């Protein structure tokens, strides 16, 4: 039985061997393997440009900087996300606000977004950037969000940390068809892993060039030396205040090998999600995440929501499942209720859907090493819990 964890990475001999081969190369950072991984990422996502970074948090920060986010600007994001989605704005000295979620898709509520934008326009406090979050690998309604961006003049970042391999309508998440920038995470439990790492994707050359500079100290090397009047291998200039956000070739080697298995990972996760839906569809106490017609989730997470009229809270079900060695998790506690964010004036009751979700949602086990029998076992225990209530 492989259900003791809600998720885990899958590493095979090919991954190990490719990393070993990279260790014998001349350059362990800023080498050919990293370039190879970036090219493969562009090809897979169908984005014009891809750069790797040492984390998805770094990718979000660089994305904000590359779009010109600065002091007195405002960024909005989903209140139900990991704190990095909003922290990236604060790193730039910008202001942050949130959008409540839809209790069917668990993504940004389009109705809440439309109402908030209309009100913000009245008070002249529209956001410069909206970072949308594809929770669990479920794509947001990007066409409508893009339409709103044209009307209200904001930029779009897709936080696709969960959504590598997902599809929105006729495009891959990461193609940036409906956004300015997309970022992915390669943390161990994500769709593919580099150990720690992330990537940034865009179709705009200027954004790519800025992101590339911010990733590596703001340094450029393809400039002429004022001494020799030639481009020299030893000469460089710092043009921005950048960071050391580079990914090593060792990490990139693992990612390059893992990317070859991504389609297989996504297929298996969708098959297991189908088994969950089969066994849980008759359970009147819970509902599963709604995937919009025409979309394909990567199913990084399989999330269930205990219905509001049911007295059970998620921690009670989490404790029950733990007795059977079944681990589950909450994604996420609302950002606005974190102690740090309360200092900005956010308070309980500001985003009611997300607050309800945090009491009723849980991510149950889903990863490549699971079998249909494992999923059936978890489903039966969930159904058993509600049958004995």
């Amino acid at each position: 039985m492989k259900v003791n964890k809600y998720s885990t990475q899958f590493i095979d001999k090919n991954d190990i061997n490719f990393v070993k081969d990279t260790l014998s190369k001349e350059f362990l950072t800023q080498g050919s393997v990293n370039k190879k991984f970036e090219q493969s990422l562009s090809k897979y996502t169908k984005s014009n440009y891809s750069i790797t970074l040492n984390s998805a948090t770094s990718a979000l920060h660089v994305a904000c900087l590359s779009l010109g986010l600065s002091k007195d600007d405002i960024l909005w994001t989903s209140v139900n996300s990991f704190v990095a989605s909003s922290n990236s704005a604060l790193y730039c000295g910008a202001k942050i606000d949130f959008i409540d979620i839809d209790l069917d898709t668990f993504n940004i509520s389009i109705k809440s977004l439309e109402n908030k934008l209309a009100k913000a326009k009245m008070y002249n406090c529209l956001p410069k950037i909206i970072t949308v979050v594809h929770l669990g690998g479920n794509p947001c309604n990007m066409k409508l969000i893009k339409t709103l961006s044209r009307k209200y003049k904001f930029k779009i970042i897709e936080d696709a940390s969960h959504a590598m391999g997902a599809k929105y309508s006729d495009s891959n998440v990461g193609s940036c068809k409906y956004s300015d920038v997309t970022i992915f995470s390669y943390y161990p439990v994500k769709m593919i892993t580099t150990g720690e790492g992330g990537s940034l994707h865009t179709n705009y050359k200027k954004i790519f060039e800025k992101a590339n500079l911010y990733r590596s100290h703001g340094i450029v090397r393809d400039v002429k030396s004022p001494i020799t009047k030639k481009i020299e291998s030893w000469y460089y200039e710092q043009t921005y205040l950048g960071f050391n956000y580079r990914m090593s070739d060792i990490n990139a080697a693992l990612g390059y090998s893992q990317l070859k298995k991504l389609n297989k990972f996504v297929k298996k996760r969708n098959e297991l999600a189908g088994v969950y839906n089969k066994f849980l569809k008759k359970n009147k106490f819970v509902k599963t995440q709604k995937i919009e017609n025409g979309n394909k989730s990567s199913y990084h997470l399989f999330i269930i929501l205990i219905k509001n009229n049911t007295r059970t809270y998620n921690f009670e079900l989490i404790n029950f499942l733990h007795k059977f060695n079944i681990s589950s998790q909450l994604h996420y506690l609302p950002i606005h209720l974190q102690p740090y964010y309360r200092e900005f004036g956010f308070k309980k009751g500001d985003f009611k859907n997300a607050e309800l979700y945090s009491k009723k949602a849980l991510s149950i086990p889903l990863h490549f090493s699971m079998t249909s029998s494992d999923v059936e076992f978890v489903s039966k225990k969930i159904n058993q819990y509600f049958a004995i209530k």
Side-chain angles (χ1 to χ4, degrees):
M1 192 70 65
K2 301 182 180 67
V3 296
N4 59 318
K5 298 179 180 179
Y6 86 89
S7 190
T8 187
Q9 68 273 9
F10 178 84
I11 306 292
D12 63 15
K13 289 182 179 179
N14 291 330
D15 297 326
I16 295 168
N17 289 335
F18 199 76
V19 172
K20 282 183 177 179
D21 289 343
T22 301
L23 288 169
S24 65
K25 292 183 180 296
E26 182 180 4
F27 296 103
L28 296 184
T29 187
Q30 301 186 78
S32 61
V33 178
N34 215 320
K35 290 292 183 185
K36 199 173 184 179
F37 185 35
E38 289 174 336
Q39 290 165 1
S40 296
L41 287 169
S42 283
K43 184 178 179 180
Y44 186 90
T45 59
K46 295 181 171 58
S47 58
N48 290 345
Y49 305 100
S50 301
I51 68 167
T52 57
L53 299 99
N54 59 8
S55 72
T57 302
S58 299
L60 283 165
H61 184 198
V62 166
C64 290
L65 289 170
S66 300
L67 291 174
L69 190 71
S70 61
K71 185 180 178 181
D72 297 327
D73 291 329
I74 307 170
L75 181 145
W76 293 359
T77 190
S78 172
V79 72
N80 186 48
S81 182
F82 187 58
V83 291
S85 301
S86 55
N87 286 351
S88 56
L90 301 181
Y91 299 155
C92 300
K95 299 174 184 177
I96 187 73
D97 203 352
F98 300 103
I99 310 153
D100 209 351
I101 63 168
D102 178 272
L103 287 174
D104 291 323
T105 65
F106 311 156
N107 285 329
I108 282 175
S109 164
I110 297 299
K111 183 178 179 181
S112 294
L113 175 59
E114 288 175 325
N115 291 340
K116 195 177 185 82
L117 284 167
K119 187 177 291 186
K121 185 176 182 179
M122 289 173 58
Y123 293 98
N124 195 29
C125 57
L126 285 165
K128 184 167 188 173
I129 298 173
I130 291 183
T131 298
V132 300
V133 180
H134 303 310
L135 189 73
N138 182 23
C140 297
N141 190 332
M142 294 307 301
K143 285 184 181 177
L144 187 48
I145 293 169
K146 183 65 176 178
T147 299
L148 291 170
S149 79
R150 294 191 185 103
K151 180 177 179 180
Y152 292 101
K153 311 301 181 187
F154 58 82
K155 302 292 187 181
I156 301 171
I157 297 173
E158 293 180 72
D159 184 343
S161 293
H162 296 179
M164 190 71 171
K167 289 183 179 292
Y168 176 76
S169 186
D170 58 347
S171 61
N172 292 342
V173 171
S175 68
C176 302
K177 184 174 181 179
Y178 303 102
S179 64
D180 298 278
V181 178
T182 302
I183 71 98
F184 291 109
S185 170
Y186 306 123
Y187 187 74
V189 297
K190 295 302 195 296
M191 296 303 299
I192 64 171
T193 185
T194 59
E196 287 277 8
S199 63
L200 180 153
H201 302 253
T202 186
N203 292 329
Y204 298 100
K205 186 177 181 181
K206 286 186 178 180
I207 294 174
F208 165 73
E209 289 174 341
K210 284 186 178 181
N212 216 16
L213 286 170
Y214 282 122
R215 171 180 65 165
S216 191
H217 301 287
I219 286 173
V220 293
R221 292 186 177 274
D222 56 343
V223 289
K224 291 180 179 180
S225 160
I227 300 169
T228 66
K229 310 301 180 183
K230 296 178 182 179
I231 295 175
E232 304 282 4
S233 61
W234 50 266
Y235 185 75
Y236 62 87
E237 293 179 352
Q238 182 184 350
T239 56
Y240 286 89
L241 180 60
F243 306 86
N244 185 358
Y245 282 169
R246 297 186 302 264
M247 177 185 284
S248 79
D249 277 44
I250 301 168
N251 298 95
L254 179 56
Y256 179 78
S257 180
Q258 285 261 301
L259 187 59
K260 295 177 181 180
K261 294 185 280 287
L262 178 56
N263 288 340
K264 183 168 65 173
F265 289 165
V266 174
K267 182 180 178 182
K268 177 72 175 290
R269 285 173 176 269
N270 272 264
E271 288 171 352
L272 294 176
V275 178
Y276 267 132
N277 283 320
K278 174 185 174 183
F279 282 97
L280 294 175
K281 67 180 179 181
K282 293 182 180 179
N283 189 325
K284 64 181 180 180
F285 299 102
V286 301
K287 67 177 183 178
T288 57
Q289 189 177 25
K290 180 182 177 182
I291 313 298
E292 299 284 359
N293 288 338
N295 292 353
K296 181 179 182 179
S297 176
S298 64
Y299 276 111
H300 162 59
L301 301 173
F302 192 91
I303 305 170
I304 62 172
L305 187 67
I306 301 166
K307 292 185 178 178
N308 191 26
N309 58 358
T310 304
R311 291 186 177 182
T312 297
Y313 290 94
N314 49 14
F315 74 89
E316 295 170 318
L317 182 53
I318 288 169
N319 290 338
F320 174 80
L321 294 175
H322 186 71
K323 295 176 183 178
F324 301 96
N325 201 30
I326 300 170
S327 175
S328 53
Q329 186 58 269
L330 168 62
H331 296 91
Y332 295 91
L333 291 165
I335 300 175
H336 74 292
L337 295 183
Q338 294 292 340
Y340 180 77
Y341 279 88
R342 284 179 182 252
E343 295 179 11
F344 293 97
F346 296 111
K347 61 187 183 302
K348 187 176 180 180
D350 284 347
F351 303 97
K352 293 182 179 179
N353 284 357
E355 291 173 30
L356 174 63
Y357 173 96
S358 70
K359 298 174 183 176
K360 295 285 189 174
L362 68 158
S363 301
I364 56 180
L366 183 65
H367 52 81
F368 183 76
S369 296
M370 289 181 70
T371 66
S372 295
S373 296
D374 295 332
V375 172
E376 182 177 353
F377 176 76
V378 177
S379 301
K380 285 185 175 180
K381 291 303 174 185
I382 293 170
N383 290 338
Q384 178 186 336
Y385 174 86
F386 287 102
I388 62 174
K389 288 299 286 183

